[in-house]
Amino acid sequence: FSDSAASLTVKSKPVLTVSPSWLKPEASVALRCNYDNQSESWRIYWYKAVPDKSENGYRYELLPGSISETANNSFMIHGQTQTAGFTCRAGRGNPEYFTDYSEPKFVWSAVSHPAASLSVSPDREQHFTYEPVTLNCGGNSTEWRVKRFSESGDLTVVPNCSDWMKMSGSSCVVSRQSSSKAVFWCESGSGEFSNAVNITLNSLLLVSPVHPVTEGASVTLSCRLRGENKLSDVIFYHNDKLIQNDSRGELKISAVSQSDEGFYKCEHSGEASPQSWMAVKGELDSIYYCVSKPGSSSFPLLVVICCFKLTSCVPG
């Protein structure tokens, strides 16, 4: 998106907020743009941030139907299912002049998709301090970078994972982190975002799935100290409620249901692990809707057409 030559820039930067930060099925995303000297004479422009390797940052593309005719500083996005970045700015006058763009803000999805995905090895959310963690980017690109959003609100590229051409294939190793908790995701040279992953560092770990668990599947959570493979006498909590306190060192859920989704942590010898979110997805979460229609007169069968969230279909 390029401004006309007559456009001037006002040296004030709006602040964008997004809610929620982590996407849930069927949830809408609310954007809010706050800036100095707000009045009805301003129009708000909303953009999506697209990874751009030439800029080593992002290019901004105007969202369809997003130009506010008045100073309406909020905007709703429906049907967002993948990790995405957004920004905003305000303009007024004729010829129009603009504020700076806001800093980009992100909504994250834990669900991977074919164009871009992130996997972590060891395959868990919590890791020991200074433990090497391998980040693997996969999808429809040969060029990648990894971004990190820390608990303190800093957005950075990850050392050894920051240059499009200098990653070891599509993977890189993070051996030292400046923050005890951060969100990581891959960005491709073709402009795609991957799923996002929380990574937390601590001396006592809750070993839990890093990706959503399918409803009906079994899952085992355990507690670990560095150098010890298995602990006994472990206490487990679900959403801060004690759910198991005995000599077993593991929490086994034989058939996961939606009620099992939530925050988990463990406690051993008076020390508690950080909390980790365990997401649960339905067995048919990939199916968005199905419609049925009769076949043609020469082939009178009932045809069932299913549309999937990661693909599209048009009933014929």
Side-chain angles (χ1 to χ4, degrees):
F1 184 88
S2 60
D3 306 323
S4 71
S7 296
L8 301 174
T9 301
V10 178
K11 291 301 179 182
S12 61
K13 182 174 289 189
V15 176
L16 177 67
T17 57
V18 298
S19 180
S21 296
W22 285 91
L23 294 170
K24 298 283 288 181
E26 313 305 326
S28 297
V29 177
L31 307 181
R32 187 175 182 88
C33 191
N34 295 306
Y35 54 96
D36 293 336
N37 302 318
Q38 290 183 214
S39 70
E40 292 185 0
S41 62
W42 291 93
R43 292 195 301 177
I44 311 298
Y45 294 79
W46 307 91
Y47 304 83
K48 67 176 179 178
V50 180
D52 190 330
K53 65 178 183 178
S54 63
E55 299 285 338
N56 201 31
Y58 303 95
R59 67 178 186 272
Y60 299 139
E61 297 181 357
L62 197 62
L63 289 169
S66 64
I67 303 175
S68 300
E69 293 302 326
T70 61
N72 182 0
N73 66 341
S74 62
F75 185 70
M76 297 295 294
I77 297 175
H78 305 288
Q80 185 69 42
T81 59
Q82 298 175 7
T83 298
F86 301 99
T87 187
C88 69
R89 65 175 176 169
R92 70 177 179 181
N94 186 17
E96 194 166 18
Y97 56 94
F98 298 91
T99 66
D100 289 340
Y101 291 99
S102 69
E103 293 295 330
K105 292 295 177 69
F106 300 88
V107 292
W108 299 301
S109 170
V111 181
S112 61
H113 58 100
S117 63
L118 169 63
S119 60
V120 178
S121 180
D123 187 16
R124 59 178 188 260
E125 179 178 321
Q126 296 183 15
H127 300 265
F128 294 115
T129 307
Y130 304 125
E131 175 185 35
V133 179
T134 301
L135 307 175
N136 297 289
C137 302
N140 301 334
S141 181
T142 58
E143 298 175 301
W144 299 93
R145 69 182 175 204
V146 179
K147 284 293 184 76
R148 170 177 56 202
F149 187 81
S150 70
E151 197 171 22
S152 61
D154 296 324
L155 175 66
T156 58
V157 289
V158 179
N160 303 323
C161 313
S162 58
D163 295 323
W164 297 102
M165 302 300 293
K166 293 183 180 179
M167 286 179 62
S168 177
S170 58
S171 66
C172 60
V173 177
V174 180
S175 58
R176 189 184 184 96
Q177 292 191 52
S178 58
S179 176
S180 61
K181 186 172 184 178
V183 181
F184 291 77
W185 66 92
C186 299
E187 297 176 355
S188 75
S190 56
E192 299 282 350
F193 290 94
S194 76
N195 57 298
V197 172
N198 263 316
I199 292 181
T200 304
L201 306 180
N202 203 52
S203 57
L204 178 68
L205 307 185
L206 174 72
V207 180
S208 61
V210 70
H211 299 295
V213 180
T214 302
E215 198 169 10
S218 62
V219 67
T220 300
L221 309 183
S222 61
C223 215
R224 281 189 59 191
L225 280 168
R226 185 188 293 274
E228 298 187 39
N229 290 330
K230 190 173 181 180
L231 300 175
S232 57
D233 299 318
V234 175
I235 304 171
F236 289 94
Y237 297 85
H238 178 216
N239 294 330
D240 288 325
K241 180 182 178 181
L242 192 153
I243 55 172
Q244 182 174 295
N245 182 10
D246 55 32
S247 60
R248 292 173 291 175
E250 297 178 329
L251 173 65
K252 295 185 177 182
I253 305 174
S254 58
V256 171
S257 66
Q258 287 293 334
S259 63
D260 294 313
E261 185 171 82
F263 286 103
Y264 288 83
K265 67 179 179 181
C266 63
E267 185 178 309
H268 174 72
S269 299
E271 182 179 0
S273 74
Q275 289 193 123
S276 281
W277 176 266
M278 188 177 80
V280 177
K281 62 179 180 179
E283 289 184 275
L284 299 180
D285 261 3
S286 59
I287 296 179
Y288 189 61
Y289 64 86
C290 292
V291 296
S292 61
K293 60 179 290 186
S296 64
S297 56
S298 59
F299 198 66
L301 294 178
L302 185 67
V303 179
V304 178
I305 301 167
C306 291
C307 291
F308 295 84
K309 286 184 177 178
L310 297 181
T311 61
S312 61
C313 67
V314 178

